[in-house]
Amino acid sequence: MSPAYRTVEQFERWHKKTCARCGRFGCFAAGWPDGHVCRTCHDRALKIRGRCPGCDEERILPGVAPDSREPICTDCAGFSTGYRCARCHREDKLHARRLCSRCTFSDRLAELLDDGTGRVRPELVRFAEHMLAMNNPLSGLKWLYPCKGQSRTPADLLRDLGRGNIELTHAAFHTAEPWRAAAHLRELLMACGVLPMIDKQVCGFERWLLNHLTPIDDADHTQIIRRYATWQVLPRLRGAAERKPVTQASRSFADDQVRQATHFLEWLAAQGITLDTCGQAEIDLWHAENTTHRRRALRCFLLWCMESKLLRRLRLPTFESCKCSPMSPEDRIALIGQTLTHDDQPLRSRAAAIIVLLYAQPLSRIARPTIDDVICDGEQVPLRLGEPPSPIPQPAADLLLAWIDNRTNMNTATNRDSRWLFPGRRAGQPMHPDTLGGLLRALGIANVAARTSAMRQHVQQMPAPVVADALGFHPVTTTKLAAEAATTWSRYVTAPRFRSPAGWRPSTTRDS
C-alpha cells in the first residue's frame, strides 16, 4: 500500500469497488458502460466470441444488451476502450503495448529462445511454432510466469535451452530444475519431434533414480543399488515400453523395488551385517517385521543378489496376495443407473465410471484407449478393448460419444490434436490413473470392488477365454477368476442338444 493512504479502508475506497456483474468487491476494469467490472468478469467476458446481434459481425462479445441481456460487441455496447491488437488487429485481451495474448506470447518466446543472434535457435523453431499454434495462448503465458517460492521458472529453462546451456538430450533434463517444468518441457519437445520419443515412465524412473542415489552415504550401498537398478529394473521397464506404454503402477512398483532394496541394506548395516554374511535367520526376521508389499518389492532384489553371487543361496518365504471383496450385483447396477442419469455430475467422471462398471477395466488401462477405439458402426458403437470389440449399450454409447465431443485439456499446446479418450495435461500423454481414481471416488465408486463384480458377471455368462479376448485380459487371469466365482461350464447358455438345424432332412437309402 502506498504511503499516501493512511488506512487500508481508504485504499480500498479509492481502488476497489463492487462489480456490476457478480456483485463481488474487487479491483475493477474501467471503460465499461454497465459500471465497474472485476477482473474475473472482465476476462470471462472477453472469451465470448460470436456474431453480434446488433451489427451482425463476428467479434468478441463482452457487452450485454440492456433489453435482451444477450452478449453484444464493444461498439454496440458503447465501450469507451477497444480491444484490438496493435499488431494483428485481432480482438482479444490486451497486455503491454496493447498486444493480444498471442502476439505477447510470440514476443516472449522469441526473447527466451534467442540463441544470441537475435533469432530463435534453429533446433527450436519447430518447438516455437508448436507452442504458438495452441488455441489458448494465455495459458502459455501463465506457464511462463514465476510461481511463489520458486527460485527458477519455466522461463529460465527456455532461456537456457535457447542459449545452449541445456543440451537437447534426455540426459540433460534429468538434472534440470524445477523438475515438474523440466518434465513438461521435455514432453513438449518430444511431441513436436525435437527430442526422440521415450516412454514417459522410463524417463521419470531415470530421473528419480539419480535423486534417490544422491543422499545415500555408504559408497558400497550406492554401487549395489546402481547396479541393481541399471541391469535389472531399468531393462525390464524398457522392454515393457517396447511392447506397450508402461503404466503408472508398473513404474511405482519399480520405484518401490529400488527403495526397499536400499532399506534392506540399511537394515543389515544397522545389525552389523553385510550381504556376504547375511544368513537365513536375517532373511526370516526381515520378512517377519515387514508387510506383504515390502516382501514382494524386495524379492526381485534378493533373487538378483543370489544370481550375482552377492548373496548365498537362501530360501525366500512365500506370500499370499490379499483380494478385495466384490461389490454386490445390486449395488453395481444402481451405480450404473446413477452414472447414466445424473447429468449434474462431470461428464469426464461419468465416462470413466461407465467403462469400469461395464467392462472391469483397471484405471491404468482406461487411460490408454483413443477416440478411434470407440467405433461408430451404424446403429452399434463398439469399444475396442480386445478382439473382437465389445458392444456398448445405447445409453452408455451416447454418454461416451458426448464426452468425445467435449473432451477437456484440448486448448493448449499439450494435447491440441490428441487422440486420447482421456487427454492429460502433459504433452502427448493421457490422463494420470490417479486422477481418474479421484474422479471415481468423487462419484462414490470403489474401483477394485466394482471391477471384481463386473468381471464375475462376465465369466459367469461367457467362457473365460472369450472374456479374456474381448476385454484384453490374459486367459489365465480370467480362468482363475472364474474358478474363484465357482463357475462351471454347466452355467453357460448352450443351444438345444437335439434340435435339428433349419432345412435339414434325414438321409434315406434306395430301399426305403
Side-chain angles (χ1 to χ4, degrees), residues 9 12-13 15-19 22-27 38:
E9 291 77 9
E12 292 180 346
R13 185 170 61 252
H15 287 271
K16 289 189 176 182
K17 298 182 182 298
T18 302
C19 178
C22 65
R24 289 179 295 187
F25 192 63
C27 299
C38 66

Side-chain angles (χ1 to χ4, degrees), residues 128-139:
E129 294 175 351
H130 181 80
M131 295 290 289
L132 291 175
M134 68 172 64
N135 296 332
N136 186 16
L138 185 60
S139 63

Side-chain angles (χ1 to χ4, degrees), residues 256-456:
D256 289 339
Q257 286 180 320
V258 177
R259 192 180 292 113
Q260 293 307 318
T262 306
H263 292 169
F264 179 72
L265 293 179
E266 293 174 352
W267 180 83
L268 289 179
Q271 305 293 327
I273 305 171
T274 63
L275 279 176
D276 297 336
T277 60
C278 180
Q280 187 66 48
E282 287 75 24
I283 294 294
D284 295 340
L285 179 59
W286 190 91
H287 280 76
E289 294 178 350
N290 289 272
T291 61
T292 303
H293 176 74
R294 291 186 175 183
R295 299 174 194 172
R296 182 184 302 155
L298 184 67
R299 187 180 183 86
C300 181
F301 174 71
L302 295 178
L303 293 175
W304 176 80
C305 288
M306 295 178 190
E307 294 176 357
S308 303
K309 307 301 181 181
L310 299 176
L311 182 68
R312 63 176 181 266
R313 289 289 174 179
L314 300 172
R315 181 181 56 84
L316 302 182
T318 59
F319 57 89
E320 295 181 359
S321 59
C322 299
K323 297 180 180 179
C324 178
S325 301
M327 182 184 298
S328 65
E330 294 77 11
D331 293 342
R332 175 171 160 269
I333 295 299
L335 286 175
I336 292 176
Q338 295 175 10
T339 303
L340 295 175
T341 57
H342 286 192
D343 296 335
D344 56 333
Q345 299 293 339
L347 189 59
R348 177 177 58 181
S349 305
R350 296 165 60 203
I354 204 64
I355 298 178
V356 172
L357 294 170
L358 290 180
Y359 304 106
Q361 296 294 302
L363 297 177
S364 59
R365 195 175 297 173
I366 292 177
R368 306 312 303 185
T370 64
I371 58 176
D372 301 324
D373 294 323
V374 182
I375 307 169
C376 297
D377 186 12
E379 298 180 357
Q380 293 186 350
V381 182
L383 176 62
R384 184 184 292 109
L385 302 172
E387 291 297 337
S390 303
I392 309 176
Q394 187 53 43
D398 295 339
L399 178 64
L400 286 180
L401 293 178
W403 161 245
I404 291 176
D405 295 336
N406 299 276
R407 290 178 298 162
T408 55
N409 298 331
M410 297 291 292
N411 291 327
T412 64
T414 301
N415 282 309
R416 186 179 63 255
D417 301 322
S418 175
R419 307 295 294 178
W420 295 115
L421 184 59
F422 296 97
R425 300 179 62 182
R426 292 290 183 87
Q429 299 295 330
M431 191 174 296
H432 198 284
D434 292 346
T435 304
L436 290 173
L439 298 178
L440 295 185
R441 287 191 296 270
L443 295 181
I445 298 176
N447 173 40
V448 178
R451 286 174 46 211
T452 306
S453 178
M455 181 58 71
R456 285 199 171 191

Side-chain angles (χ1 to χ4, degrees), residues 55 58 63 81 90 124 133 150 156 183 240 256 258 279 303 327 333 375 444 449 474:
C55 60
E58 192 75 19
T81 179
R90 184 176 183 270
L124 300 176
Q150 283 188 351
D156 297 328
D256 289 339
V258 177
L303 293 175
M327 182 184 298
I333 295 299
I375 307 169
H474 197 279

Side-chain angles (χ1 to χ4, degrees), residues 12-233:
E12 292 180 346
R13 185 170 61 252
W14 280 91
H15 287 271
K16 289 189 176 182
K17 298 182 182 298
T18 302
C19 178
R21 297 198 175 183
C22 65
R24 289 179 295 187
F25 192 63
C27 299
F28 61 89
W32 289 52
D34 49 355
H36 303 294
V37 178
C38 66
R39 293 175 181 174
T40 302
C41 294
H42 169 267
D43 295 345
R44 186 179 300 159
L46 293 181
K47 294 180 181 178
I48 304 176
R49 293 184 178 273
R51 189 168 296 278
C52 177
C55 60
D56 198 30
E57 294 183 5
E58 192 75 19
R59 302 179 58 182
I60 61 172
L61 307 176
V64 178
D67 299 332
S68 60
R69 308 302 298 175
E70 295 182 358
I72 55 178
C73 67
T74 56
D75 293 341
C76 296
F79 277 58
S80 60
T81 179
Y83 290 93
R84 289 195 178 275
C85 175
R87 180 181 301 169
C88 66
H89 306 293
R90 184 176 183 270
E91 286 186 313
D92 195 3
K93 180 181 179 179
L94 300 182
H95 302 271
R97 296 176 297 169
R98 296 191 63 81
L99 296 179
C100 65
S101 299
R102 192 171 300 278
C103 292
T104 304
F105 188 40
S106 176
D107 292 348
R108 183 63 172 153
L109 277 180
E111 175 189 355
L112 295 175
L113 300 179
D114 184 8
D115 59 355
T117 62
R119 296 177 300 176
V120 176
R121 182 179 174 182
E123 296 88 347
L124 300 176
V125 172
R126 190 186 310 173
F127 167 74
E129 294 175 351
H130 181 80
M131 295 290 289
L132 291 175
M134 68 172 64
N135 296 332
N136 186 16
L138 185 60
S139 63
L141 274 176
K142 292 180 179 179
W143 181 57
L144 299 177
Y145 290 158
C147 297
K148 185 177 181 180
Q150 283 188 351
S151 57
R152 285 178 58 83
T153 64
D156 297 328
L157 289 176
L158 292 180
R159 186 178 293 108
D160 293 340
L161 201 63
R163 296 177 181 177
N165 297 332
I166 298 179
E167 298 181 359
L168 289 176
T169 60
H170 286 283
F173 284 88
H174 292 338
T175 56
E177 293 292 341
W179 71 270
R180 291 185 183 275
H184 183 60
L185 178 58
R186 172 162 56 180
E187 290 165 3
L188 286 172
L189 292 172
M190 287 191 293
C192 62
V194 177
L195 285 178
M197 291 297 299
I198 296 181
D199 191 277
K200 168 188 174 182
Q201 303 300 338
V202 175
C203 293
F205 178 79
E206 292 175 346
R207 182 185 180 91
W208 175 87
L209 181 61
L210 291 177
N211 296 330
H212 177 76
L213 294 174
T214 302
I216 299 179
D217 298 329
D218 196 315
D220 294 336
H221 292 180
T222 303
Q223 181 185 13
I224 293 174
I225 296 301
R226 180 181 287 109
R227 286 175 56 191
Y228 169 61
T230 304
W231 299 107
Q232 182 67 23
V233 181

